[in-house]
């Protein structure tokens, strides 16, 4: 009788834990659904909308126009040719040294025409912040 009571108590505890887990899961699902209701976009279901241009891409198309010249989205020739690294690399290619260790070190040691970022042109802040 004692063992049967213990077994019944264990089963009751296991079923209580299962019910608690199911309740916690249901509460979690309800919280997720509530969250999704708040952040779900208010747009109609229109599969053809995927193929339409966005506002940003339409504005860019208007800016570019239908002319023969497109805006430059990279480096211009003057920028490349004014960079000392480009000139050094061209000379190394002509000499056949661009794949050598010496050529790599020479190109890496050359300074760019302009700093890559604004931060690289600024002094480091820290102990010298009072001096700046």
């Amino acid at each position: 009788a004692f063992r049967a009571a213990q077994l019944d108590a264990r089963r009751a505890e296991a079923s209580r834990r299962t019910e608690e887990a199911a309740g916690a899961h249901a509460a979690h699902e309800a919280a997720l659904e509530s969250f999704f209701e708040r952040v779900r976009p208010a747009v109609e279901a229109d599969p053809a909308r995927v193929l339409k241009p966005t506002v940003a891409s339409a504005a860019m198309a208007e800016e570019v126009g239908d002319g023969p010249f497109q805006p430059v989205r990279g480096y211009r020739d003057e920028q490349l040719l004014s960079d000392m690294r480009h000139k050094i690399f061209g000379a190394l290619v002509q000499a056949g040294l661009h794949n050598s260790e010496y050529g790599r070190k020479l190109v890496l040691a050359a300074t760019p025409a302009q700093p890559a970022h604004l931060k690289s042109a600024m002094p480091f802040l820290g102990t010298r912040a009072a001096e700046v």
Side-chain angles (χ1 to χ4, degrees):
F2 178 71
R3 295 255 184 223
Q6 279 185 334
L7 185 59
D8 287 340
R10 278 194 214 141
R11 287 183 181 156
E13 179 66 25
S15 66
R16 185 187 61 78
R17 275 192 253 137
T18 304
E19 289 173 5
E20 283 180 6
H25 182 68
H28 181 68
E29 289 293 324
L32 282 176
E33 187 59 36
S34 166
F35 171 74
F36 290 143
E37 284 299 321
R38 285 184 302 201
V39 298
R40 189 170 287 134
V43 294
E44 71 278 356
D46 183 14
R49 187 174 65 105
V50 174
L51 302 176
K52 295 178 185 175
T54 63
V55 174
S57 65
M60 189 168 56
E62 289 174 7
E63 172 189 315
V64 171
D66 294 331
F69 298 108
Q70 300 294 322
V72 177
R73 301 216 191 283
Y75 295 103
R76 291 193 165 91
D77 291 342
E78 308 88 47
Q79 291 171 316
L80 284 175
L81 295 176
S82 69
D83 194 350
M84 187 55 69
R85 294 175 297 180
H86 183 72
K87 293 177 184 178
I88 291 173
F89 188 74
L92 288 171
V93 167
Q94 285 181 348
L97 298 172
H98 63 286
N99 284 330
S100 67
E101 187 64 30
Y102 172 74
R104 283 190 208 94
K105 286 183 181 178
L106 198 60
V107 171
L108 289 174
T111 58
Q114 295 176 345
H117 300 288
L118 180 62
K119 288 182 179 178
S120 64
M122 297 174 67
F124 289 105
L125 299 179
T127 57
R128 297 177 46 205
E131 299 170 9
V132 177

